[in-house]
Amino acid sequence: MGIDLGGTGSRAIGMVGDEVAIAVDVPTRELGAGSETERVERLARLVESVVPVGTELAAVGIGASGPVDVDAGVIHNQATLPWFTGFPVAGQLRNRIGVPVSIDNDAVAAAFGEHRAGAGEQSDRLLMVTLGTGVGVAMLVDGRPVRGADGAHPEGGHIPITSDPQRCYCGLTGCFEQAASRSTLQQKLSEAMGGATIGRQLIAAGITRAADDERIRAVFQDYAVAVGRGLAALHTLWQPRVTVIGGSAAVSLPLIREDVLRQLDRSQDYRIDVELREATLGDNAGAIGAALAITATA
Ligand SMILES: [Zn+2]
């Protein structure tokens, strides 16, 4: 089974073979209440709740938002995942449930999912960008994630792309994530729409109303510029063959695609031809990727 441990919500998926059998959503804050032991216990119960009757749990893969020490099984994300940060959550869960537990960055997990079972279609150079609470970035080369010298996952959501002076929790200013996260899009849409609707419906409502409302259209145009500038930097460095956009703001891709592509347009000699696709596993990508790929190496 796989868990996508997000900054806002978490999803647990039980899989039988390559098929999703059971999916459960929980607010991460709820999982994170109480002591470390209680949090691990709640994760264990979540795991048990998605094991289909008559099947046996083989392994657990976790995709977690932010920096993750894959070898030690420790999350380091005080900013958006404080409840599961700084202690060996994978090891403690393994002790509690008695099967292998592995953990990786959630963008890596989503990339594994889309690569093996979604829009990535086994591409040899796949860039995954998730537009969620934050912005997650993972680059898979021949199915393997690009890692830093210390084994850590490069936090591509924190490349500076704007001159916005507001400081990001990572310490820099003008980060890709600050400008292109779903949270930022929601906030700007809420302002443009007078705070009328909340949550995910806000983006859907914004997409519907963008055709007739200049202010809303401008929000999506600005958002496209932010997404496009981040992609331009990542494409320049990594030259992927396919880029898959996931996370809950990916639904806006059909609306912003042309404006995003305009940000990627450059002179002939510097042109990088990348196919831009919307994720097909949707919100399941992280949990499926965690289950399929991370558990395969557990
Ligand atoms: Zn940052």
Side-chain angles (χ1 to χ4, degrees):
M1 62 84 56
I3 304 175
D4 187 1
L5 210 52
T8 308
S10 292
R11 174 164 295 190
I13 280 182
M15 299 191 72
V16 179
D18 280 2
E19 299 297 317
V20 174
I22 304 177
V24 172
D25 289 312
V26 193
T28 308
R29 186 179 292 278
E30 246 170 55
L31 286 174
S35 67
E36 273 175 27
T37 313
E38 286 171 300
R39 292 172 220 165
V40 172
E41 179 59 28
R42 235 173 265 116
L43 278 182
R45 291 207 197 122
L46 179 64
V47 168
E48 286 157 1
S49 75
V50 297
V51 178
V53 177
T55 67
E56 201 174 316
L57 182 63
V60 176
I62 301 173
S65 113
V68 171
D69 184 331
V70 174
D71 295 330
V74 179
I75 300 164
H76 295 286
N77 186 1
Q78 193 59 45
T80 59
L81 214 49
W83 318 281
F84 294 98
T85 280
F87 69 99
V89 61
Q92 291 187 15
L93 185 59
R94 180 168 49 231
N95 291 342
R96 164 65 177 73
I97 59 179
V99 300
V101 177
S102 52
I103 189 162
D104 210 320
N105 173 272
D106 58 353
V108 174
F112 280 146
E114 291 292 339
H115 183 258
R116 293 183 44 155
E121 291 175 351
Q122 313 275 344
S123 171
D124 57 344
R125 293 188 71 81
L126 173 68
L127 174 68
M128 179 85 211
V129 176
T130 59
L131 308 172
T133 310
V135 171
V137 174
M139 177 72 195
L140 296 190
V141 178
D142 296 326
R144 291 210 184 85
V146 173
R147 308 265 193 202
D150 60 354
H153 162 79
E155 290 294 328
H158 296 273
I159 47 173
I161 61 154
T162 77
S163 54
D164 181 353
Q166 202 188 331
R167 201 158 291 282
C168 175
Y169 59 83
C170 80
L172 295 181
T173 59
C175 282
F176 185 19
E177 169 168 313
Q178 288 175 292
S181 68
R182 180 208 64 226
S183 325
T184 300
L185 176 61
Q186 279 177 323
Q187 189 198 326
K188 298 266 168 67
L189 280 174
S190 175
E191 285 162 17
M193 293 161 77
T197 44
I198 52 151
R200 291 185 179 195
Q201 296 86 342
L202 192 65
I203 294 177
I207 291 169
T208 308
R209 287 170 54 181
D212 305 317
D213 189 319
E214 207 171 306
R215 258 187 95 187
I216 294 173
R217 195 156 60 242
V219 169
F220 281 108
Q221 280 163 349
D222 288 349
Y223 188 64
V225 170
V227 172
R229 285 183 65 82
L231 290 182
L234 295 167
H235 286 181
T236 302
L237 279 175
W238 284 339
Q239 300 207 357
R241 199 175 307 278
V242 174
T243 291
V244 175
I245 306 292
S248 42
V251 291
S252 67
L253 189 60
L255 178 63
I256 65 172
R257 176 184 284 272
E258 287 311 312
D259 289 330
V260 169
L261 292 179
R262 210 162 290 127
Q263 295 300 314
L264 302 175
D265 198 21
R266 56 208 303 183
S267 58
Q268 195 56 41
D269 292 346
Y270 287 81
R271 207 178 187 85
I272 301 163
D273 286 319
V274 181
E275 206 175 314
L276 194 60
R277 297 179 186 163
E278 189 178 339
T280 55
L281 301 181
D283 290 346
N284 282 342
I288 289 176
L292 282 183
I294 299 182
T295 56
T297 58

